[in-house]
Amino acid sequence: MQRKGENALTIAERDVEVEARRRRVEAIEAVPESAPELVAALYDENVRVRQAAAEQLARVEPTPEVLSAVLHVLSSTGDVGARNAAAKTLGLIGSAAVAPLAQLLKTGSDDVRRFAAEVLGEIAYGDSAAVLIEALSDVDLNVRVSAAEALGRIGGIAASRALNELLAAPEPILQVCALESLAALDAPVALPRLVPLLNAVPSRRSAYRLLGQLRHPAAFGLICRGLSSVGRDAALLGLGAWRDGLGSEAEEALKHSQGLVADSVEWLKRSLLQDDRQVRLGALRLTVALNEPALAPALAQASHGGDLGEVVLHALMRLGPGGVSALLKGTPAPIIELEDEARAVACEAVLRSADPSVVSLLERLMREGDRELSDLAARALGRTLSLEALAPLAEALDIDELSSAAARGLRVLGATFPSEVAAVLEVGLQKAVRPHALRAYATVWRDKAGKRIREAAKHSDPRVRAAAVESAEFMGSVGLSELLSAALVDESAHVRRSAARALGKVPGAVAVPLLKRALDDSEAAVQAAAAWSVALQGASEYRPELEQVAAAPSGPVALAALQALFSLDGLDDRTLAAATSHSDPEVVKLALAYGADSVAGVKRALSALTHSRWDVRVAAARVLAVSAEREALVALHRALEAETDDLAREVLMAAATVLTKR
């Protein structure tokens, strides 16, 4: 935060000072003798320093003296930052702090009792439930509220009973706390206790949220009734919290609830944009029940938090082609205005639900949308499985920005209308041989495209030659070996790589004799493609060549060779040793993973615990957790002592924990 009168230089200098203080605190030894110094740091003016002090103090043995010092900060200071840091410390200390906190909850000042209740809730130790239940009768309302919230984190039968009784409290805030805590615990509540709270404004939202967890027809009926009342916003929470699937009868009841609501559609549009996830989920379920296509754009936006993507997609698909039309109609089309997650979900729904009724709308989107939407429209046109889509896709072939997407759409459409699509593509290829159009032509026309593929393989443009080679799998056996042989010695590495990849897709009788030439290529990309083709062909006779390629300095080449060797019959000890010593850490990590099924692999993983890269050390620890015996604990503990990376320490500790149980 910038203070009044500070400039950028002053702020930078202050940040340096803060960082220096934080590091000094982190360097203090976590022993009881250091407690006074760490407690003093709880008063630092900067929150990062106070956080570091709290974390370091929590690592100190919680002796009575240490606990007393921290509790003194909590109970006697007017410094809010220090008090919050003390509360954080006690929460991190955990169960050892429960007894003194329980005492403070009985004897401290109002603020201290409230803090004590909050920290006991953070610790969530079951034995503290009794003192918190007692605190529900505290003279201070804030203490009672904090105690109710804490019980919602701790749980247990006694806590649930006390919270149920609290529903009858005269203070609305206590009722709300009890409702929210019971909902968090998924605790049973008698329906008659909830009904009065559904009508009270302060408790309505929390009561409906809990109502949605009851899973009973009467509860669902109350939600449906609420959806047509003044409390409909709260009722959406209950519908969002409903955990059972909604059958046709339930959806019919939801639809009936909106029969006399004049502004239902506009209300749902607003509700689908709410921040509360359960409100959005409830609005989504009601939208599906209404089957109102006009809500499709708002429905797509319900995924804006990134947490309802799959549910929203399913709902959009339930709306069918009508929902797609709603996303595409208008100027501009609503889908153009969508952003991020909402657009991604809407695009997927358009692809999956497109049918002949939206051909004209997709054609317009292909011409008016941005690059992403034009591509979507072209692919969706192919999925309409309508001959009406053929003309706009054919026209788009002649537009540079659209030709690639149009070719993909024609490829999909060609599965239903092969001769019609092939004829359109043939006309386009006669005008200009475009790589994507050639690939689409080969996919649709298959062995009938052989002549065109052979001609294209001699084209002056290497991109066209590469496309011809990639299409070789469709051309049949006539001239296939000659075409691939010529491509493997092409002057363009792009063409040779395409040929190497094609060797994995054509008949083995043609491919296997040519694989050695591809593996011996001077270009790393060609070698990598060839390695994968060896695996696809199951050509184990090339194992010696693959082992040689696996030792190549190029990381991508070595990775491809390792993947091929593993898919054939695994890595031998010599290859494993070479790969785990490779300069590329990605190769080392993959080799460690592939070696997890052997004694040699475990030895390599033990050695990798001292690797200079933290991610390699993590990979080694994960292998040991799966494959090592208890004897590896010595090396793991040694690695833990030397480890400086937090994530690596976490994985090393997890591996050590697993081995102690072996």
Side-chain angles (χ1 to χ4, degrees):
M1 181 183 297
Q2 186 170 355
R3 299 170 181 171
K4 188 175 181 180
E6 284 188 324
N7 56 33
L9 180 58
T10 306
I11 294 172
E13 290 172 346
R14 177 160 55 86
D15 286 345
V16 170
E17 292 174 0
V18 168
E19 183 63 17
R21 295 203 306 276
R22 186 185 68 81
R23 290 184 178 276
R24 281 198 298 271
V25 168
E26 289 182 340
I28 297 173
E29 189 176 2
V31 294
E33 293 76 14
S34 302
E37 187 177 0
L38 289 168
V39 168
L42 295 177
Y43 291 89
D44 194 278
E45 65 175 357
N46 186 270
V47 65
R48 285 184 290 160
V49 179
R50 297 196 299 271
Q51 173 78 10
E55 292 174 354
Q56 197 71 351
L57 197 50
R59 297 188 181 100
V60 175
E61 180 187 351
T63 63
E65 294 77 15
V66 171
L67 288 171
S68 176
V70 180
L71 289 165
H72 178 74
V73 178
L74 183 71
S75 60
S76 64
T77 183
D79 188 325
V80 176
R83 182 175 277 182
N84 287 334
K88 175 72 173 178
T89 303
L90 292 165
L92 292 172
I93 288 174
S95 59
V98 168
L101 282 168
Q103 185 61 34
L104 272 185
L105 186 55
K106 295 178 179 179
T107 61
S109 66
D110 292 350
D111 282 348
V112 170
R113 296 199 307 280
R114 176 172 61 84
F115 265 109
E118 291 174 359
V119 178
L120 286 171
E122 290 178 16
I123 296 173
Y125 190 64
D127 288 354
S128 59
V131 71
L132 286 165
I133 291 171
E134 185 179 338
L136 293 177
S137 302
D138 195 281
V139 295
D140 186 83
L141 178 60
N142 290 329
V143 175
R144 300 200 296 277
V145 167
S146 295
E149 292 173 343
L151 287 170
R153 298 188 185 96
I154 293 171
I157 294 175
S160 295
R161 288 175 178 169
L163 290 167
N164 263 283
E165 293 299 324
L166 201 61
L167 294 178
E171 299 90 352
I173 189 172
L174 282 177
Q175 294 175 338
V176 170
C177 286
L179 288 166
E180 292 295 337
S181 290
L182 287 165
L185 296 173
D186 198 13
V189 179
L191 189 55
R193 286 181 184 264
L194 276 181
V195 173
L197 301 174
L198 297 174
N199 299 317
V201 175
S203 59
R204 181 180 289 157
R205 288 176 63 87
S206 300
Y208 269 110
R209 193 193 306 274
L210 190 54
L211 183 66
Q213 297 179 195
L214 295 189
R215 305 180 188 177
H216 189 276
F220 190 77
L222 287 169
I223 291 172
C224 289
R225 190 186 307 168
L227 289 170
S228 60
S229 72
V230 294
R232 62 183 181 177
D233 291 329
L236 281 179
L237 274 171
L239 186 56
W242 193 260
R243 295 177 185 174
D244 292 340
L246 300 180
S248 57
E249 290 185 7
E251 289 192 348
E252 189 61 33
L254 288 172
K255 185 175 182 179
H256 179 72
S257 74
Q258 301 301 293
L260 299 178
V261 181
D263 66 339
S264 182
V265 171
E266 292 304 315
W267 167 59
L268 281 172
K269 285 181 180 179
R270 296 191 300 271
S271 300
L272 287 165
L273 299 178
Q274 296 296 312
D275 290 333
D276 191 304
R277 182 183 187 277
Q278 284 190 327
V279 170
R280 283 184 285 128
L281 185 55
L284 184 151
R285 288 171 171 167
L286 185 53
T287 297
V288 170
L290 291 178
N291 193 29
E292 177 52 66
L295 287 168
L299 188 56
Q301 292 181 76
S303 62
H304 67 82
D307 55 353
L308 287 176
E310 287 297 323
V311 182
V312 170
L313 176 59
H314 177 72
L316 284 170
M317 292 178 64
R318 286 281 303 274
L319 296 180
V324 173
S325 295
L327 289 168
L328 302 179
K329 279 182 180 176
T331 305
I335 197 171
I336 294 176
E337 303 295 315
L338 297 179
E339 297 179 357
D340 303 329
E341 183 73 16
R343 175 182 276 208
V345 172
C347 287
E348 187 62 27
V350 169
L351 273 179
R352 296 192 189 187
S353 302
D355 77 349
S357 68
V358 296
V359 168
S360 60
L361 294 172
L362 288 170
E363 179 182 0
R364 194 185 74 171
L365 182 65
M366 185 171 64
R367 296 182 182 281
E368 297 178 1
D370 54 35
R371 184 66 178 269
E372 177 189 25
L373 292 177
S374 295
D375 184 87
L376 162 76
R379 287 186 290 145
L381 279 168
R383 295 194 180 196
T384 61
L385 305 183
S386 168
L387 272 177
E388 292 180 6
L390 190 55
L393 286 173
E395 291 177 16
L397 271 179
D398 294 328
I399 303 172
D400 290 340
E401 294 80 6
L402 299 178
S403 58
S404 178
R408 287 198 294 274
L410 287 167
R411 190 161 51 198
V412 176
L413 193 62
T416 305
F417 305 107
S419 58
E420 291 87 348
V421 171
V424 167
L425 286 166
E426 177 67 42
V427 171
L429 289 170
Q430 288 174 0
K431 296 178 182 177
V433 183
R434 299 176 184 267
H436 39 264
L438 177 63
R439 283 189 288 265
Y441 182 74
T443 303
V444 171
W445 218 218
R446 304 188 76 81
D447 56 350
K448 297 177 184 177
K451 180 176 181 292
R452 174 66 70 180
I453 292 172
R454 288 191 292 273
E455 291 174 355
K458 300 175 183 178
H459 200 277
S460 60
D461 188 338
R463 294 172 300 173
V464 173
R465 298 201 300 276
V469 174
E470 291 166 9
S471 304
E473 61 180 299
F474 302 113
M475 65 178 284
S477 59
V478 177
L480 178 59
S481 180
E482 292 80 2
L483 184 148
L484 291 172
S485 296
L488 286 171
V489 294
D490 194 281
E491 63 182 14
S492 168
H494 180 45
V495 175
R496 301 200 303 278
R497 182 184 62 180
S498 297
R501 291 170 58 185
L503 292 177
K505 302 174 183 178
V506 301
V510 174
V512 172
L514 299 175
L515 283 168
K516 180 168 175 39
R517 186 182 303 171
L519 286 169
D520 290 341
D521 198 278
S522 59
E523 285 288 334
V526 179
Q527 287 184 310
W532 191 236
S533 289
V534 170
L536 291 175
Q537 293 290 353
S540 55
E541 61 265 39
Y542 283 102
R543 184 177 182 90
E545 286 82 357
L546 283 176
E547 291 174 349
Q548 184 176 352
V549 172
S554 168
V557 173
L559 285 169
L562 287 177
Q563 291 168 339
L565 286 166
F566 187 74
S567 69
L568 291 175
D569 51 8
L571 309 183
D572 61 24
D573 292 352
R574 183 170 59 84
T575 304
L576 182 63
T580 52
S581 301
H582 201 279
S583 60
D584 188 327
E586 297 303 320
V587 175
V588 178
K589 289 190 288 185
L590 184 66
L592 288 171
Y594 283 168
D597 61 351
S598 67
V599 174
V602 172
K603 290 180 180 178
R604 293 292 167 186
L606 286 168
S607 298
L609 288 176
T610 59
H611 197 278
S612 60
R613 293 266 305 214
W614 69 268
D615 52 339
V616 173
R617 299 194 297 274
V618 165
R622 287 174 174 156
V623 169
L624 294 173
V626 171
S627 305
E629 300 294 343
R630 282 178 59 87
E631 291 76 11
L633 276 171
V634 175
L636 272 172
H637 283 302
R638 193 181 305 122
L640 268 168
E641 291 175 359
E643 187 56 64
T644 57
D645 183 85
D646 289 342
L647 177 58
R649 280 189 61 81
E650 184 180 330
V651 177
L652 286 165
M653 184 64 74
T657 302
V658 169
L659 293 191
T660 58
K661 301 175 183 178
R662 222 163 252 168

